[in-house]
Each structure stands twice: as structure tokens, then as C-alpha cells.
């Protein structure tokens, strides 16, 4: 008897809205013109390449806490009624010295309840965590946040992209010198993960695997990097925490309107 093979149809999403903080804005995938690209732009570029007239908005602003995301981005995103909405938030809250996880959970629940009825598919994420002492210190809070995300996804029909469980995205080599944001390669892998979760055919089935092993840096080089990190990134970050300031204060959303997206090579191609 002749065997017939069926090909799973490619999704036909016509619009994407991204909601969140610096992770979704694209730090630290820096472009030559001084702007950030990031996984959401890369994903939009891919989707635009297979769907004529594809539209994209990115409301993310670096440094935003979950309260600010709910107050400033959620209703705007819901009103756009996009085929796909991605929501990543709450991780900045878990890194604050004083973090009320009950409040974070409540705000994240509010965000999901307001977004899910007004989009075709809501995408949530278990954010990546860089290996090291910072992750270990805040791991209980992060995992409590991820448990909440899993529960909300099941209740509201959202999908969850598990970046936290991907060995590649714990590898320090895929994190920028600030140790808080992914490199361009890290963002590429996140875009691939979301792409596959939405049902598109894999282009990199091994996105979750770490890069090939390399020789570790010499002790002196590591200490120099530690000092540079503390001076350029850690101390300013602590200063903002102590004064209640944010790196995103006064900054507008990255791409505030849901407009056609051409996925140009500079900003959106993989």
C-alpha cells in the first residue's frame, strides 16, 4: 500500500506585538547605528519574510518593572489585537533587593488576563539565566515567577518558551559584558526558540545546545574582566537601585505603532 506523507501547514500570523523590558527591546544586540536589534526584531523579520503585509510593534522599554509594563504597555498591546503577542516581564522585579513576589504574581496575572482575550496567541517565556553567583542568589524568586507563568499559560491558553531550561542560554559566552543581557548570538537563539514554539519549521534544531567548547580565559583576564564589569555596569546598576532610577526613564517604546515590517537586513533578518 502506498504511504502518503502530509506536511504540517506553515502558520499564517499576520502581526506581532512585543511587550516587556530590555530583554525584548534587544539589549545588548547592538547595531552599527547605535540602536538595538534583538530577538523580537529577528523574529518579526522571519515572519515578515513568509507573510506579505506583516505588521510589527515593539512596546518594550529597558528597565521596566512589571507594574510599569502593566500600566504603560498592556492596554496598548491589547488594543492592537495582533495575531501574536509576546509578554516577558517581572524579572527586573526579582533582582530588586525588596521584591514582593505576591505583588509580582498578581500583576503578571493581570497582564495575562488583559492580553489573552485580545490576541490570537499569547506567548510567555521562562527567561534565560546566566550561570554564576547572581543566578544562584535570585534563583528561588525566578523559579517562583516561572511557576506562575506556567500556571497562567495553562489557564489562558498561552504557550511558554522555556529559555531557562536551555543549556545554551546559561552559557556565559552568550551573555554581554554587562552580564545582564544576551549577545547577538543569544538573541538569535531566542528568536529561533519562539519561531519553533509558534509552529514554524526549525531552521536551527540545536538552538538550545551550548556552543562548542573553548579554552577558559586566563585567571588574570578573568580578574580584569571582573573589575571592568564592576566599574562600568555593576556600580551604576546599584546606584540606580538606591536612587529609584531606571535605565529606561524617559525613553519611548522601541516601535510604538503596529506597522508593516519589511524585515530589512540591518534590523530584522537572521
Amino acid at each position: 500500500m502506498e504511504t502518503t506523507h502530509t506536511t504540517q501547514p506553515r502558520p499564517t500570523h499576520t502581526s506581532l506585538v512585543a511587550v516587556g523590558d530590555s530583554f525584548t527591546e534587544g539589549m545588548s544586540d547592538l547595531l552599527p547605528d547605535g540602536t538595538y536589534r534583538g530577538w523580537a526584531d529577528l523574529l518579526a523579520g522571519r515572519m515578515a519574510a513568509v507573510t506579505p503585509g506583516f505588521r510589527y510593534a515593539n512596546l518594550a522599554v529597558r528597565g521596566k518593572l512589571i507594574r510599569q509594563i502593566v500600566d504603560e504597555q498592556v492596554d496598548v498591546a491589547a488594543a492592537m489585537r495582533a495575531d501574536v503577542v509576546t509578554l516577558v516581564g517581572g524579572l527586573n522585579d526579582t533582582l530588586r533587593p525588596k521584591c514582593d513576589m505576591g505583588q509580582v504574581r498578581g500583576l503578571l496575572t493581570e497582564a495575562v488576563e488583559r492580553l489573552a482575550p485580545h490576541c490570537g496567541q499569547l506567548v510567555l517565556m521562562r527567561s534565560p539565566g546566566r550561570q554564576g553567583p547572581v543566578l544562584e542568589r535570585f534563583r528561588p524568586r525566578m523559579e517562583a515567577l516561572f511557576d506562575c507563568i506556567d500556571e497562567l499559560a495553562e489557564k489562558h491558553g498561552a504557550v511558554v518558551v522555556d529559555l531557562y531550561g536551555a543549556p545554551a542560554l546559561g552559557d556565559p559566552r552568550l551573555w554581554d559584558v554587562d552580564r545582564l543581557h544576551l549577545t547577538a548570538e543569544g538573541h538569535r537563539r531566542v528568536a529561533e526558540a519562539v519561531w519553533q514554539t509558534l509552529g514554524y519549521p526549525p531552521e536551527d534544531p540545536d538552538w538550545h545546545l551550548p556552543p562548542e567548547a573553548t579554552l577558559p580565559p586566563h585567571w588574570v583576564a578573568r580578574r580584569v574582566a571582573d573589575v571592568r564589569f564592576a566599574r562600568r555596569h555593576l556600580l551604576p546598576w546599584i546606584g540606580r537601585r538606591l536612587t529609584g532610577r531606571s535605565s529606561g526613564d524617559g525613553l519611548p517604546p522601541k516601535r510604538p505603532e503596529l506597522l508593516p515590517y519589511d524585515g530589512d537586513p540591518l534590523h530584522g533578518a537572521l
Side-chain angles (χ1 to χ4, degrees), residues 20 46 65 74 99 108 123 136 146 148 164 194 200 210 218 259:
R46 277 195 180 190
L65 302 173
V74 166
C99 173
L108 187 60
V123 178
E136 293 308 313
F146 300 154
C148 177
Y164 181 69
V194 184
Y200 293 93
H218 189 272
L259 296 173

Side-chain angles (χ1 to χ4, degrees), residues 120-138:
Q121 180 62 68
L122 180 62
V123 178
L124 307 176
M125 297 188 201
R126 294 162 60 93
S127 303
R130 183 186 186 275
Q131 296 171 3
V134 173
L135 175 63
E136 293 308 313
R137 179 180 178 185
F138 295 104

